[in-house]
Amino acid sequence: TGYPTRWEDQTKYRGGWVVDGQRQKSLRLRLQGKWGTLSNIFYNPYLPTLDDYYEPWTYDYQNLITAPLADEQPTARAISMVTGKYMDTIEAGPNWDDDLGGSQVYANNDPNFDGASDEEMRQ
């Protein structure tokens, strides 16, 4: 749900803010402070990966243009823009779930609804 996948799941990406302390409440970044930023400047294990976004692709348009006359319509297969190889399945992309935003499948996997009762989920 979302882009990158599960982008609102703050336990996965450690984004957002938390309140620290019992008496002296202070606001701090969930992921790290300024020294943690320096130590993770070249590698941060909590950032989204390519799989969390999507593997960018294009189509084999040349196949459509150069296909000989036939009874079947030619197709343009997806080609990975990372590896240059044909892709058999495409699982996600930007705006992938926009049309299904109200779908129960996405609502059940939305981290914002963790801990919600059945009645709250029906509303």
Side-chain angles (χ1 to χ4, degrees):
T1 53
Y3 177 78
T5 305
R6 295 187 59 85
W7 72 275
E8 289 184 347
D9 187 351
Q10 301 305 327
T11 57
K12 179 176 181 180
Y13 296 120
R14 304 235 177 135
W17 299 83
V18 293
V19 176
D20 242 358
Q22 295 285 330
R23 289 183 174 179
Q24 191 90 15
K25 295 188 188 269
S26 63
L27 198 59
R28 70 170 179 81
L29 286 171
R30 182 185 307 266
L31 179 59
Q32 60 207 16
K34 75 179 120 163
W35 298 114
T37 301
L38 287 174
S39 67
N40 287 341
I41 197 164
F42 296 108
Y43 172 72
N44 187 337
Y46 302 109
L47 290 178
T49 64
L50 182 64
D51 292 336
D52 294 323
Y53 284 95
Y54 71 100
E55 186 170 355
W57 73 89
T58 187
Y59 291 99
D60 184 6
Y61 294 110
Q62 202 61 28
N63 186 41
L64 296 176
I65 296 169
T66 60
L69 290 175
D71 291 335
E72 296 85 22
Q73 184 170 346
T75 61
R77 289 183 62 193
I79 300 173
S80 167
M81 294 181 74
V82 176
T83 64
K85 297 179 181 177
Y86 285 110
M87 297 174 66
D88 292 328
T89 58
I90 298 173
E91 296 179 3
N95 301 329
W96 188 263
D97 59 356
D98 277 3
D99 291 339
L100 301 173
S103 154
Q104 197 62 30
V105 172
Y106 288 103
N108 288 337
N109 293 318
D110 190 332
N112 291 314
F113 293 131
D114 287 349
S117 69
D118 291 338
E119 176 150 348
E120 290 170 325
M121 289 296 288
R122 281 193 298 273
Q123 295 176 2

